Amino acid sequence: MRLNRFLLAAALTTAAASYSTAQTATPAKSYTQTIPGSDQTYAMVAIPGGTFLMGSPATEKERKADEGPQHKVAIEPFYMGKYEVTWDLYDLFAFTNMEKEMAAKYPGPDANLSKTDVTTRPSPPYVDMSFGMGRAGYPAINMTQYAAIKFCAWLYAKTGVFYRLPTEAEWEYACRANTTTPYSFGADVKKLGEYAVFTGNSGGAYKKIGTKKPNPFGLYDMHGNVMEWTKDQYIEDYYASVAKGTVKEPFAPTTSLYPNSVRGGSWDDEPAVLRSAARTPSAPAWKVLDPQSPKSDWWLTSASFVGFRLVRPVKAPSEEEIKAYYDIKPIKDY
């Protein structure tokens, strides 16, 4: 998964060089992306650019060392998925027959499957990856970071619009939504159940998207329900390198299979993991039940708490930059 770092940095379009103290321009409007040849849509929320302190203060309860030191980050305007990606949409990518059946029901000039026929697809899962917790209207889970990126490539072929995973910085900025408290709704953990699905109210399973209150930007399930992939490699002391000026990239490029960063906490997590600044590294244990050797590039088998949502930069990258982002090879898991 080693990419041209300069092209990838341009494609991610997160500014890290100059800072302003005020919120910058907001994308024109939030919108809903229609998915040609289907009945599916994906709502995107316009996120204004600006600067924020990434990480948590030393005084924050339940804070971990990898959340500091706090450092200022500048974010360009972008769009972010209002909800986590659901099985309804993900299955069209994962199963070619489902995409074909849907296109037959919803024909049209933009439903030409030749655009997606060449897309690299997941290998068939050997079990139902929802583990019986629900599918229609529920967040897709148990995909690898590689699979989530390849979904973005499929969606680009399908719609002609560049979508990708958020960086850790973008994710935290969007989650905080101009707040500085442990959660986007404040510091009172007693209110968490109003905004999040977590161990205290999940009943041992994820829930349909959007069942709780949104954050101030209008994003649902940023706290809880399922953790969400970012593009970043998880580096425990990365913030220290950024703060010292020894790292110039606004994100940590993926160079190894483990660990990568997921954010937000899940239905299976305690409140501390759902905080805006909390970071979680991926782990080999997430594939522990996979009987294959090497293990699947596409599916996790013990991570029913991991999903993802999409972002779209306001400034579209070049075709070369898009190719650099999507044209990746899986890092093998032996």
Side-chain angles (χ1 to χ4, degrees):
M1 204 176 285
R2 293 174 175 82
L3 308 181
N4 182 314
R5 293 173 67 176
F6 297 104
L7 288 176
L8 183 56
L12 294 179
T13 64
T14 302
S18 60
Y19 304 120
S20 63
T21 57
Q23 192 166 281
T24 60
T26 303
K29 287 183 180 180
S30 299
Y31 70 96
T32 297
Q33 176 69 63
T34 59
I35 313 301
S38 79
D39 61 349
Q40 293 299 300
T41 60
Y42 190 69
M44 300 294 294
V45 176
I47 306 297
T51 61
F52 80 114
L53 280 177
M54 187 173 182
S56 61
T59 55
E60 185 167 304
K61 189 177 180 180
E62 304 287 356
R63 178 188 191 266
K64 291 186 177 180
D66 65 355
E67 298 168 25
Q70 283 188 297
H71 54 287
K72 189 179 286 187
V73 179
I75 301 292
E76 293 293 325
F78 64 100
Y79 302 92
M80 191 172 210
K82 190 174 185 177
Y83 307 104
E84 294 154 339
V85 173
T86 64
W87 284 117
D88 309 73
L89 180 54
Y90 193 79
D91 281 346
L92 297 182
F93 157 67
F95 303 102
T96 306
N97 63 316
M98 292 186 69
E99 184 185 17
K100 290 180 178 178
E101 290 171 5
M102 186 68 78
K105 292 180 181 179
Y106 299 91
D110 295 327
N112 188 349
L113 296 182
S114 64
K115 297 177 182 178
T116 57
D117 279 346
V118 296
T119 303
T120 304
R121 309 268 185 157
S123 56
Y126 75 97
V127 295
D128 171 17
M129 286 299 174
S130 73
F131 289 98
M133 294 192 296
R135 214 164 180 98
Y138 290 84
I141 55 171
N142 273 316
M143 76 291 295
T144 62
Q145 184 200 52
Y146 171 76
I149 293 172
K150 286 300 185 180
F151 170 86
C152 294
W154 170 84
L155 192 59
Y156 175 63
K158 195 84 169 167
T159 65
V161 180
F162 176 66
Y163 290 101
R164 59 171 172 79
L165 296 180
T167 63
E168 269 203 272
E170 287 171 328
W171 192 97
E172 185 173 326
Y173 177 80
C175 181
R176 288 190 176 281
N178 293 326
T179 66
T180 59
T181 47
Y183 305 96
S184 61
F185 55 84
D188 186 358
V189 73
K190 293 180 181 178
K191 294 183 178 180
L192 185 59
E194 299 177 30
Y195 294 84
V197 176
F198 69 112
T199 51
N201 63 7
S202 70
Y206 61 22
K207 298 296 183 283
K208 288 188 175 182
I209 58 170
T211 62
K212 299 297 182 179
K213 293 180 180 178
N215 78 355
F217 277 163
L219 302 171
Y220 290 80
D221 299 315
M222 293 298 284
H223 303 297
N225 210 18
V226 295
M227 291 182 174
E228 298 172 14
W229 282 114
T230 72
K231 182 61 191 78
D232 292 51
Q233 189 85 62
Y234 173 85
I235 300 173
E236 187 174 5
D237 61 351
Y238 189 71
Y239 292 5
S241 299
V242 174
K244 291 177 182 176
T246 55
V247 175
K248 294 182 180 180
E249 289 89 350
F251 68 101
T254 300
T255 57
S256 62
L257 184 58
Y258 302 111
N260 290 296
S261 291
V262 292
R263 290 296 205 111
S266 77
W267 60 269
D268 197 31
D269 287 305
E270 298 294 332
V273 186
L274 276 65
R275 291 174 301 111
S276 298
R279 307 173 68 203
T280 299
S282 64
W286 294 5
K287 288 187 182 180
V288 69
L289 297 179
D290 189 342
Q292 304 174 88
S293 181
K295 295 184 183 298
S296 174
D297 297 325
W298 298 96
W299 299 102
L300 305 171
T301 52
S302 303
S304 55
F305 45 81
V306 174
F308 69 107
R309 77 177 71 214
L310 307 177
V311 302
R312 173 190 175 185
V314 171
K315 181 181 178 182
S318 68
E319 285 297 323
E320 186 179 21
E321 291 163 351
I322 292 173
K323 187 175 187 295
Y325 186 84
Y326 292 149
D327 190 17
I328 60 174
K329 303 295 183 185
I331 300 174
K332 291 299 180 181
D333 185 2
Y334 294 94

